[in-house]
Amino acid sequence: MSLKNVYKTASGAFGVDGYSFKQKNLLKRLDKLDNKGICQGLCLCHAGMAKQGIKFKGGGETGMHTLFEYANHAQQHFETMGNPDDLNGVTAMYNHLSRNFHLRIKTIREFSCAPGDVANMTQWAWGRAPGYFQILLPNHVVSFHLGDGVNYFDPNYGMSEFNTFNLFENFMGFYHTHPDFLTAYGLGHPMPSPRPVFVVGLE
């Protein structure tokens, strides 16, 4: 099973497919955008637009181009801080970002790469809701909102919505511990990345 199908299976079993998305395909159609680490910028869009009450959906080519320009701008600010692998470095990166965007860091915690930590991660975030959370994986970033409902975004595949936290927790337990997820995002075989996993809460 491809990771895309893993995502679709998890979304269909526990939530609603809110919006299909594939950053690599969209980047090919848009000029003058830096695709290096754009997932982190897109996740910032996901949080920033939600805070403004804007649906994370492109209104045709122009709307999508605007979204990617925002993401590219965000990513450029991330890049000025390098690629930190420690709690202080990640905190500094998001503090720097808050000076340029209407989001600020509220909380941050480092988790291990062990699949069993996924349940701890989701419970930790729930205890700090409402908020906008980003999970910094060894080689990818995903995002989710906790509020009246839950909204999850993987820039490679799309956005899913969940009516309850328990459904979201089940989704995370399936998707984030799946062997294909662990391999694709640097957490599994054959060579797990030594980089840690950070969860950053924004407000």
Side-chain angles (χ1 to χ4, degrees):
M1 185 186 298
S2 69
L3 184 55
K4 179 179 181 180
N5 286 333
V6 174
Y7 172 82
K8 284 188 170 182
T9 299
S11 177
F14 304 111
V16 176
D17 183 8
Y19 184 41
S20 296
F21 199 95
K22 194 164 181 64
Q23 61 177 357
K24 289 181 181 178
N25 289 350
L26 290 163
L27 279 166
K28 290 176 184 175
R29 293 161 34 202
L30 303 172
D31 297 329
K32 300 178 182 177
L33 292 179
D34 178 11
N35 63 5
K36 181 184 178 184
I38 196 71
C39 59
Q40 197 164 24
L42 285 167
C43 284
L44 189 74
C45 287
H46 186 234
M49 291 172 74
K51 186 173 181 180
Q52 298 174 65
I54 302 172
K55 270 285 189 182
F56 189 82
K57 293 189 177 184
E61 193 73 14
T62 303
M64 190 59 68
H65 198 286
T66 301
L67 185 149
F68 269 87
E69 283 185 337
Y70 181 104
N72 194 47
H73 181 48
Q75 187 58 29
Q76 287 170 356
H77 282 285
F78 276 122
E79 293 297 331
T80 64
M81 302 299 290
N83 196 11
D85 286 337
D86 62 84
L87 202 62
N88 290 335
V90 173
T91 302
M93 179 172 68
Y94 278 91
N95 281 334
H96 167 77
L97 199 69
S98 69
R99 292 194 289 270
N100 299 280
F101 297 91
H102 299 295
L103 290 164
R104 70 181 185 89
I105 188 169
K106 179 171 70 171
T107 185
I108 183 172
R109 181 171 166 182
E110 179 180 332
F111 288 86
S112 76
C113 294
D117 238 6
V118 171
N120 295 335
M121 181 191 303
T122 51
Q123 283 294 327
W124 177 84
W126 179 245
R128 286 148 184 83
Y132 312 97
F133 296 86
Q134 298 192 348
I135 303 177
L136 281 62
L137 300 161
N139 58 17
H140 190 52
V141 181
V142 298
S143 174
F144 63 93
H145 309 155
L146 294 178
D148 294 336
V150 183
N151 187 298
Y152 176 94
F153 176 58
D154 182 336
N156 284 330
Y157 302 111
M159 184 177 72
S160 293
E161 298 172 349
F162 305 88
N163 292 328
T164 68
F165 175 75
N166 285 342
L167 289 172
F168 169 66
E169 196 170 29
N170 291 337
F171 166 87
M172 290 286 287
F174 182 95
Y175 186 51
H176 275 241
T177 64
H178 195 281
D180 290 344
F181 182 97
L182 300 177
T183 299
Y185 295 151
L187 298 163
H189 299 294
M191 292 181 64
S193 169
R195 297 180 65 195
V197 174
F198 295 104
V199 181
V200 181
L202 304 169
E203 62 182 4

